[in-house]
Amino acid sequence: MESNKRMAYVVLAMALGLFMSSLDNTIVSASISQVIKDIGGFEKMSWIFTAYMLASTSTMLVFGKMSDLFGRKLFYLIGISLFLIGSALCGTAQTIDQLIAYRVIQGVGSGAIFPISFTIIFAMSSDPKQAAKMSGVFAGIFGISSVLGPQIGTWISESAVLGWRWCFYVNVPFGILSIVTLLLALKESKSDQKPKVDYLGTLLLVASTVLLLLGLEWGGKDYAWDSVQIISMFSASAIAIALFILVERKAKEPILPLGIFKNKMVLGTSIIVFCQGAIMFSAITYLPILSVAVMGNENSNSVLTPMMFPIMIGAIVGGFLCTKVPFRTIMIISMAAGIGEAYMLGTITHETAKLTVTLVMIGMGLIVLGPLMSVSQNAVAQNVEMKYIGIASSVVGFWRSIGGVMGAAITATIVNNYLKDKMTAFAASSQMPAEQVQKLAKPEVLMQKNTALPPQIIEYMRGALETALHHGFVLALIAGIIGLFVSLFVGGERYIIGARAEKEVKPKGVPAN
């Protein structure tokens, strides 16, 4: 009874931390206009999100491994403390540069919270059904936060009493409660052995990830894809990755044990969540534009909200089903549905009924995104040794993030290039100045409420953008096809107790704390 009570408190602590970190980006997105009005820095606005994303993704694997070596409780507390410090500092920012720097601190902390939360649950629970259900609930928290975030962020930032700074301060009480609860509830054993930290591997991992993400983030926007800057970033990232692999093969305790990818379930799941990330981020990035600029809605809530709540339901159901049916079955269904959903996204026009769009979004959350949020964590956790459970949980989030950034970047390139070509053709036929074309060939122009453009230009742009988005969603279709193909070969395992595989070839290391 005492053990069950303690488990309940630990779950509460993890849920609070996850809710806080996942809520953060959606709250900030809703308050960004108020931030810019107060401290300025419109030209650097995107870095508020880019800095956070770079920091969280590049440190996710590092925190996962460190938690395996030195204790999950310790590194969860370090992560959430960094997140709280960053949040408090963000609320005090007086310039855009300060805010960006503080967002990096927040991002580093966030890189620990997600993977270690799952790791603690897997380590504590001896009942596979309980762990599977909890992982579903945790994954579902992201759906709830995505629905509540914009509403809470708008209300706080536009409040005469609170203001945008409280979008960051609101994290503090949640975080403190999570810390106190975990300190009291979670007891963790200590290892007598002193682990050896792979410092060079850690440095190369962070460097290669940051260079790759920066290249994807800037490519086609700030710099052309074939520019010296982007090619240099990708080349440097490739070199860092090659050196990283060489270092990891010789390291006594590698930051990323490459041996775990010898298991086809771990390798296959990594590829599948990469594809899922590409589908998810390309949809989340461009559905608001489709909703407002093409369909003429006041905002994107009517499109995104129907997708977010079903993500939570799908994650919980997926966590339950993976104790009943093979992981592969759920992955096949999700990826097959992803192909259908991507096709449907490519058929939505300004004439499509709102009910049809709502049903497409519900299907996206309930079948494509939600189930894999929990199933992927369970599939990987079962197929690694217990001492690698932290890094394994991090691998899922890492590849989903990489797939998301890459998917959004490639989709943006397709959409922007098509729109630019159509507007160039329109300019040639209507003798419009070239510099005006450059200003018009951007999707966000149609999202402005009080545009002074002539009706015929607006109508032409809307049609061009609609077609451009249809072309862009082809990437999601391709990702779904790849994910479906890979899911056929991951093996027929399901989540059962005592099934954590022993690897025939595995790196040497110390027992998990």
Side-chain angles (χ1 to χ4, degrees):
M1 183 67 180
E2 181 65 27
S3 176
N4 290 338
K5 189 175 181 181
R6 183 171 290 171
M7 178 69 171
Y9 282 123
V10 171
V11 170
L12 173 62
M14 300 295 98
L16 285 170
L18 281 172
F19 181 74
M20 176 190 68
S21 62
S22 59
L23 192 70
D24 190 73
N25 260 344
T26 50
I27 279 185
V28 174
S29 298
S31 65
I32 195 65
S33 59
Q34 298 297 324
V35 173
I36 299 304
K37 283 181 183 178
D38 189 15
I39 63 176
F42 176 80
E43 69 285 354
K44 297 180 180 179
M45 179 180 68
S46 63
W47 273 101
I48 296 174
F49 306 99
T50 301
Y52 184 92
M53 177 269 296
L54 287 173
S56 61
T57 304
S58 62
T59 57
M60 198 175 289
L61 291 176
V62 176
F63 273 119
K65 182 61 181 180
M66 292 300 105
S67 73
D68 282 339
L69 292 178
F70 298 100
R72 283 119 202 178
K73 179 178 179 179
L74 171 64
F75 272 86
Y76 180 86
L77 292 173
I78 289 174
I80 199 168
S81 296
L82 284 172
F83 188 87
L84 291 184
I85 292 169
S87 296
L89 289 172
C90 284
T92 67
Q94 300 301 311
T95 67
I96 194 72
D97 292 324
Q98 286 181 358
L99 183 58
I100 291 169
Y102 299 152
R103 287 282 283 172
V104 171
I105 299 174
Q106 259 194 320
V108 171
S110 177
I113 293 172
F114 180 83
I116 299 179
S117 295
F118 282 95
T119 304
I120 289 174
I121 293 301
F122 287 130
M124 284 190 67
S125 180
S126 59
D127 181 358
K129 292 184 180 180
Q130 178 75 2
K133 290 175 184 176
M134 283 299 99
S135 65
V137 171
F138 282 3
I141 286 173
F142 286 85
I144 296 176
S145 65
S146 298
V147 173
L148 295 180
Q151 282 77 23
I152 296 174
T154 301
W155 178 74
I156 291 176
S157 61
E158 294 181 357
S159 168
V161 178
L162 299 176
W164 67 266
R165 296 182 187 277
W166 277 93
C167 289
F168 296 103
Y169 291 147
V170 74
N171 291 325
V172 177
F174 285 109
I176 291 175
L177 184 57
S178 178
I179 289 173
V180 172
T181 304
L182 193 68
L183 281 171
L184 296 175
L186 182 59
K187 307 297 181 184
E188 195 171 50
S189 60
K190 301 295 181 183
S191 171
D192 294 330
Q193 302 182 45
K194 185 178 180 180
K196 184 176 178 60
V197 179
D198 178 18
Y199 293 108
L200 181 56
T202 300
L203 178 63
L204 289 170
L205 174 63
V206 173
S208 60
T209 304
V210 170
L211 286 166
L212 174 63
L213 293 176
L214 274 178
L216 291 171
E217 183 68 21
W218 285 345
K221 301 174 189 175
D222 299 86
Y223 305 100
W225 285 109
D226 58 353
S227 66
V228 173
Q229 292 89 340
I230 299 302
I231 292 175
S232 297
M233 284 182 187
F234 286 150
S235 299
S237 179
I239 293 170
I241 290 171
L243 292 173
F244 173 73
I245 293 173
L246 291 175
V247 168
E248 295 306 276
R249 293 178 67 179
K250 296 180 179 180
K252 182 179 179 182
E253 187 57 59
I255 193 72
L256 177 60
L258 299 179
I260 67 174
F261 294 106
K262 291 181 180 291
N263 184 287
K264 61 183 179 181
M265 180 64 78
V266 176
L267 177 60
T269 301
S270 298
I271 297 172
I272 290 166
V273 295
F274 178 91
C275 294
Q276 183 201 26
I279 296 171
M280 179 169 66
F281 279 77
S282 61
I284 290 175
T285 302
Y286 282 95
L287 280 173
I289 295 175
L290 180 68
S291 175
V292 177
V294 174
M295 301 181 69
N297 295 324
E298 190 70 21
N299 53 55
S300 60
N301 290 345
S302 61
V303 171
L304 290 181
T305 301
M307 178 175 70
M308 295 308 179
F309 187 71
I311 288 178
M312 179 189 68
I313 303 299
I316 295 172
V317 172
F320 174 77
L321 286 178
C322 68
T323 65
K324 305 292 184 182
V325 300
F327 298 122
R328 177 175 60 191
T329 301
I330 302 172
M331 292 174 177
I332 289 172
I333 292 172
S334 289
M335 287 293 99
I339 295 172
E341 289 288 326
Y343 172 78
M344 291 300 296
L345 288 176
T347 63
I348 294 175
T349 69
H350 62 281
E351 296 179 341
T352 303
K354 288 186 178 181
L355 178 60
T356 302
V357 178
T358 299
L359 291 175
V360 171
M361 294 300 97
I362 290 173
M364 177 73 79
L366 187 64
I367 308 174
V368 182
L369 304 182
L372 279 178
M373 290 288 187
S374 53
V375 171
S376 57
Q377 292 286 346
N378 292 322
V380 172
Q382 181 168 284
N383 283 275
V384 297
E385 295 177 80
M386 192 61 196
K387 70 176 182 177
Y388 296 133
I389 195 74
I391 188 65
S393 295
S394 304
V395 160
V396 173
F398 176 80
W399 285 117
R400 186 181 286 119
S401 294
I402 295 292
V405 174
M406 188 171 291
I410 297 174
T411 303
T413 299
I414 296 171
V415 171
N416 292 337
N417 285 346
Y418 183 87
L419 185 59
K420 184 178 179 180
D421 290 344
K422 295 295 288 184
M423 291 308 300
T424 300
F426 179 78
S429 62
S430 60
Q431 298 182 337
M432 184 187 297
E435 58 270 14
Q436 190 172 351
V437 174
Q438 296 296 326
K439 294 179 181 179
L440 293 179
K442 296 178 181 179
E444 55 266 29
V445 171
L446 287 176
M447 299 182 72
Q448 298 171 2
K449 292 182 179 180
N450 299 315
T451 177
L453 293 173
Q456 64 270 26
I457 294 181
I458 292 177
E459 194 62 29
Y460 183 87
M461 285 181 64
R462 182 171 285 116
L465 178 58
E466 182 180 289
T467 307
L469 290 172
H470 291 169
H471 282 71
F473 288 134
V474 170
L475 178 72
L477 183 66
I478 294 171
I481 292 171
I482 295 172
L484 177 61
F485 177 78
V486 172
S487 65
L488 296 173
F489 301 98
V490 296
E493 300 174 48
R494 68 182 184 204
Y495 195 48
I496 54 176
I497 195 164
R500 216 169 255 123
E502 289 291 330
K503 301 296 167 291
E504 188 174 330
V505 180
K506 58 180 182 287
K508 296 179 180 180
V510 299
N513 289 331

